[in-house]
Each structure stands twice: as structure tokens, then as C-alpha cells.
Amino acid sequence: MNHLQLHQAALPDLSANQISRLPKDQLAQFSHAVQELHDWTIQMRGRINRGIEQRYEEQIRQANSFGEEESARFRIDDGDLQIDVSQAKEVVWDQEHLTQIADRMVAAGDRVQDFMEVHLSVSEQDYAKWHPLLRAAFQPARQELVTEPQFKIRWVGEVQL
């Protein structure tokens, strides 16, 4: 099965400084190739995980049937192959239902913060439409954070997908 092996050494290993000095056509080509490799890797990782789930479905089901822990950590032994499995459990709360509960708590005089984590935010679209006096009242609570830039390279006239 040597045809299934990938070799990182076969890929270019350029520093940020080297990339910054690439000619435009090579920069665009390299960026596009890396994006395609990234997309393929994500897709393939999902397929591999689903394949492992299918292959070891019974062992995974048995391991998950034990306990009510926040996550499952176990090992599957298949001869000389060991697979360490970590599967977190995610709890999702129905926001509409929680809002109704919170409204009843406030009406009863209870403090919602004593029972729920409350994270407030304001839609930027709504904020932009507000009267300046209302925006001024909220301004001290508003903070703009700069995120890491994302780049998508394309040639002028190229169709954007």
C-alpha cells in the first residue's frame, strides 16, 4: 500500500520571508496549491474518520455505552494496531426555551445570572442604524478586535468561486 503514503518532505518548505519574495505568478500558484491541499486534507480526514467509525463500529458503541462522563476516551486494540479514541460529548441548549425560562425568572424576581451564563451582544447592523445618542450609551461596552488577515489570491478577470 505504498501508494497511500504522503511525504511532507516532497512538499516545498518555504519560510514566510521566502514566500514574501516569490514572483506574483508563483505566489498565486503556491497559494492556490496550498489551499487545494488544505481542502483535500480536511475532506480526506473526514473520510478516514468515517471509515474508522465504520470499521470499529461495534467497539465504539460498546465503549460509549459505559458511564455518563463528559467525554469518552478509550483504546481499540486490533492485533498489532492500537487506536486511541477521544470523543467529547457536546451539550446544546435550546435558546428559545432558555429565554422563556429566563423571562419567568426575571418576572419572579430571580437573578438569571445565578443560574445561567449570560453573554450579551448587539448586532452590528442594528447598532449602525441606531440614533447617535443610543449608540453613545453602548459605545463603552463595544470593542473592535482585529483578527488575523485571510488572503484569497486571484488574477484580475478571473471568476471568483
Side-chain angles (χ1 to χ4, degrees):
M1 285 218 165
N2 289 340
H3 67 282
L4 295 179
Q5 293 182 357
L6 301 175
H7 299 282
Q8 185 176 353
L11 301 173
D13 186 18
L14 302 177
S15 69
N17 191 29
Q18 289 171 309
I19 292 169
S20 74
R21 293 192 316 257
L22 288 174
K24 289 186 292 188
D25 61 331
Q26 288 182 6
L27 175 63
Q29 184 180 28
F30 188 56
S31 176
H32 182 71
V34 168
Q35 185 62 52
E36 283 185 340
L37 180 60
H38 173 74
D39 295 345
W40 177 86
T41 302
I42 290 172
Q43 183 182 47
M44 198 51 55
R45 178 78 264 162
R47 288 181 188 176
I48 290 169
N49 288 349
R50 287 189 300 278
I52 291 171
E53 284 181 62
Q54 289 175 9
R55 182 180 190 129
Y56 300 103
E57 184 176 8
E58 185 57 34
Q59 293 95 321
I60 292 170
R61 185 178 11 263
Q62 287 176 356
N64 283 336
S65 67
F66 300 118
E68 293 293 321
E69 298 87 21
E70 289 183 14
S71 66
R73 296 181 70 85
F74 54 93
R75 175 171 287 153
I76 295 172
D77 290 312
D78 187 357
D80 58 350
L81 179 68
Q82 290 184 333
I83 302 170
D84 291 324
V85 181
S86 176
Q87 190 172 21
K89 293 181 183 177
E90 182 179 357
V91 175
V92 179
W93 293 89
D94 181 315
Q95 296 301 297
E96 186 175 322
H97 194 119
L98 285 178
T99 300
Q100 293 170 359
I101 294 170
D103 289 344
R104 288 194 301 268
M105 291 173 69
V106 169
D110 292 326
R111 288 174 24 98
V112 174
Q113 302 89 317
D114 292 341
F115 300 92
M116 296 182 199
E117 291 181 21
V118 180
H119 302 276
L120 305 175
S121 67
V122 174
S123 158
E124 280 298 304
Q125 288 180 331
D126 292 343
Y127 179 80
K129 296 175 190 173
W130 289 353
H131 186 278
L133 290 175
L134 182 56
R135 281 200 313 261
F138 279 76
Q139 183 59 39
R142 184 176 180 269
Q143 181 180 12
E144 289 183 12
L145 303 175
V146 178
T147 64
E148 192 169 314
Q150 302 294 312
F151 302 100
K152 182 165 184 156
I153 296 177
R154 67 181 180 90
W155 293 109
V156 175
E158 181 181 350
V159 176
Q160 183 88 22
L161 299 178

